[in-house]
Amino acid sequence: MGIKEEFFNFKIGELKKGDRNLISDVEGVKVGHFTIHDGDIHTGVTAVLPHYGNIFKEKVMASSYVINGFGKSVGLIQVEELGNIETPIILTNTLSVGTALSGVVKYMLMKNDDIGIKTGTINSVVCECNDGYLNDIRGMHITEDHVFLAIEDAKEDFEEGAVGAGAGMTCFGFKGGIGSASRIIELDDKTYTIGAIVLSNFGSQNDFRLNGTKIIKDMISPVKEDKGSIIIIIATDIPLSERQLKRVCKRASVGLSRLGSFLGNGSGDIVIAFSSKNKINHYGERDILNINILNENKMDILFRAAAEVTEESVLSSMIHSESITGRCDHKIKSLKDFLLKKSS
């Protein structure tokens, strides 16, 4: 029995979970981390790879949605304009976005000697949350090499919790971080998958709901306000257009609401979705491309799945994280420890 099943003695949503209950249940998707836990330093990098191949030469159709725009992401403008992603998606802390961008650009140049010479440049995607409560964020401890290491670490069975970009994050007054979940959907008698991974760093403990139930009677967290951020990445092997992917992005907010979030003024809540099914060849020679998309009348099941995987991914990020003492002796308890104490 895994940690999710041990603590989730209730069912989140109605749909069947994937084999790993991770975003990597979507074929080709891998996730890697580089983590620093050292004194006052609790930070890192997480890399999400949309498929096994060369993402620049075989782009995935994608879209994004900004629920609340208190964030410093890079690359979303071109994602919105062209409807595709052509690099690994990099997650880190707020003040390391520039370094992470340089790192992923250099990685892509190393893997593609045509970029900037025989063809155009590269649109890298980097997203962030502020880990400054627990991490010495002013120290800017992330380097370009850490981005390389996170990408090289990418695998299907990846860690959740206080790892990678999630090392110093706080969620609903508990320890947050990296969490993931997946759901299985049947369409035309075939099985498809939709999965999510989150970087959770948002919410007030007073608002927190566990499977729809308020479990906190007296706040035990020093973090009072809903002024963090969450990055949500949704992947699927269902063939979807960019417009349909944006519609899926919007439904992630349902999962956040079920947890008790009201999407606070100071929170950067950003969703990115991509389909690994429709790949766009960078050097394609045909003028007209044949692309399959889902019947619009079948979108409801995807909306439900997007809400479910978002909600469970956030809970998973909290369940997998341990209690921690960070910068300036700031202490944050884990939800797991709270639930164990509550049940004893």
Side-chain angles (χ1 to χ4, degrees), residues 15 185 187 194 240 244 247-248 251 294-308:
L15 301 177
I185 295 172
L187 299 165
I194 183 169
L240 300 176
Q244 290 175 325
R247 298 190 72 201
V248 170
R251 271 58 184 192
L294 182 68
N295 182 335
E296 209 73 27
N297 292 327
K298 302 297 182 181
M299 290 295 292
D300 276 349
I301 189 69
L302 273 71
F303 295 162
R304 178 182 292 275
E308 289 188 13

Side-chain angles (χ1 to χ4, degrees), residues 36-62:
I36 308 175
H37 286 296
D38 184 8
D40 284 348
I41 308 171
H42 300 276
T43 194
V45 177
T46 293
V48 180
L49 279 60
H51 63 71
Y52 297 132
N54 186 315
I55 184 65
F56 178 70
K57 291 187 170 62
E58 288 188 298
K59 310 175 197 305
V60 292
M61 297 184 75

Side-chain angles (χ1 to χ4, degrees), residues 2 24 31 47 169 200 281 298 307-308 342:
S24 52
V31 175
M169 302 300 171
S200 68
N281 191 328
K298 302 297 182 181
E308 289 188 13
K342 192 172 184 290

Side-chain angles (χ1 to χ4, degrees), residues 33-46 91-96 129-142 146 161-170 175-178 199-201 321-332:
H33 304 298
F34 178 84
T35 308
I36 308 175
H37 286 296
D38 184 8
D40 284 348
I41 308 171
H42 300 276
T43 194
V45 177
T46 293
L91 309 178
T92 189
N93 73 63
T94 307
L95 297 187
S96 296
C129 291
N130 186 347
D131 59 13
Y133 184 76
L134 293 173
N135 172 51
D136 172 31
I137 194 169
R138 287 177 60 89
M140 299 181 71
H141 300 285
I142 295 300
H146 297 159
V163 293
M169 302 300 171
T170 302
K175 183 68 186 71
I178 296 291
L199 177 61
S200 68
N201 191 57
S321 294
E322 303 292 338
S323 298
I324 188 173
T325 299
R327 179 184 66 83
C328 297
D329 203 36
H330 290 164
K331 295 179 173 60
I332 292 291

Side-chain angles (χ1 to χ4, degrees), residues 4-252:
K4 293 185 186 182
E5 289 72 25
E6 181 181 350
F7 286 96
F8 294 164
N9 57 351
F10 45 78
K11 187 176 181 182
I12 302 296
E14 302 296 330
L15 301 177
K16 180 182 177 181
K17 301 178 182 182
D19 290 340
R20 300 182 188 88
N21 201 14
L22 297 171
I23 191 173
S24 52
D25 286 325
V26 178
E27 185 178 3
V29 177
K30 297 190 294 183
V31 175
H33 304 298
F34 178 84
T35 308
I36 308 175
H37 286 296
D38 184 8
D40 284 348
I41 308 171
H42 300 276
T43 194
V45 177
T46 293
V48 180
L49 279 60
H51 63 71
Y52 297 132
N54 186 315
I55 184 65
F56 178 70
K57 291 187 170 62
E58 288 188 298
K59 310 175 197 305
V60 292
M61 297 184 75
S63 188
S64 67
Y65 180 65
V66 179
I67 302 172
N68 194 67
F70 202 94
K72 289 78 181 172
S73 297
V74 174
L76 299 187
I77 292 175
Q78 185 167 314
V79 171
E80 283 300 285
E81 183 69 21
L82 300 186
N84 64 56
I85 289 175
E86 58 185 12
T87 73
I89 302 167
I90 304 299
L91 309 178
T92 189
N93 73 63
T94 307
L95 297 187
S96 296
V97 168
T99 301
L101 177 61
S102 296
V104 70
V105 166
K106 290 182 178 179
Y107 177 85
M108 296 303 294
L109 293 178
M110 181 183 71
K111 295 293 184 180
N112 300 273
D113 58 11
D114 52 341
I115 293 176
I117 298 177
K118 300 176 183 177
T119 189
T121 55
I122 190 81
N123 180 57
S124 301
V125 178
V126 180
C127 296
E128 54 76 34
C129 291
N130 186 347
D131 59 13
Y133 184 76
L134 293 173
N135 172 51
D136 172 31
I137 194 169
R138 287 177 60 89
M140 299 181 71
H141 300 285
I142 295 300
T143 70
E144 294 172 357
D145 286 343
H146 297 159
V147 178
F148 276 68
L149 291 170
I151 295 172
E152 291 168 0
D153 180 63
K155 49 186 174 288
E156 294 173 343
D157 290 310
F158 58 89
E159 290 184 81
E160 300 175 80
V163 293
M169 302 300 171
T170 302
C171 188
F172 286 110
F174 293 104
K175 183 68 186 71
I178 296 291
S180 190
S182 68
R183 294 292 186 269
I184 302 299
I185 295 172
E186 288 193 5
L187 299 165
D188 291 335
D189 299 321
K190 293 183 180 180
T191 298
Y192 295 90
T193 305
I194 183 169
I197 186 170
V198 303
L199 177 61
S200 68
N201 191 57
F202 73 107
S204 168
Q205 195 171 84
N206 190 53
D207 297 320
F208 180 56
R209 300 292 190 274
L210 186 59
N211 202 30
T213 302
K214 185 173 181 178
I215 63 169
I216 311 295
K217 294 183 179 179
D218 299 306
M219 287 185 66
I220 60 174
S221 172
V223 181
K224 305 297 183 184
E225 299 179 45
D226 185 355
K227 51 183 294 185
S229 294
I230 182 167
I231 306 299
I232 304 164
I233 300 170
I234 297 174
T236 186
D237 55 5
I238 301 169
L240 300 176
S241 69
E242 313 95 303
R243 178 186 54 78
Q244 290 175 325
L245 286 163
K246 179 176 286 294
R247 298 190 72 201
V248 170
C249 284
K250 292 177 180 179
R251 271 58 184 192

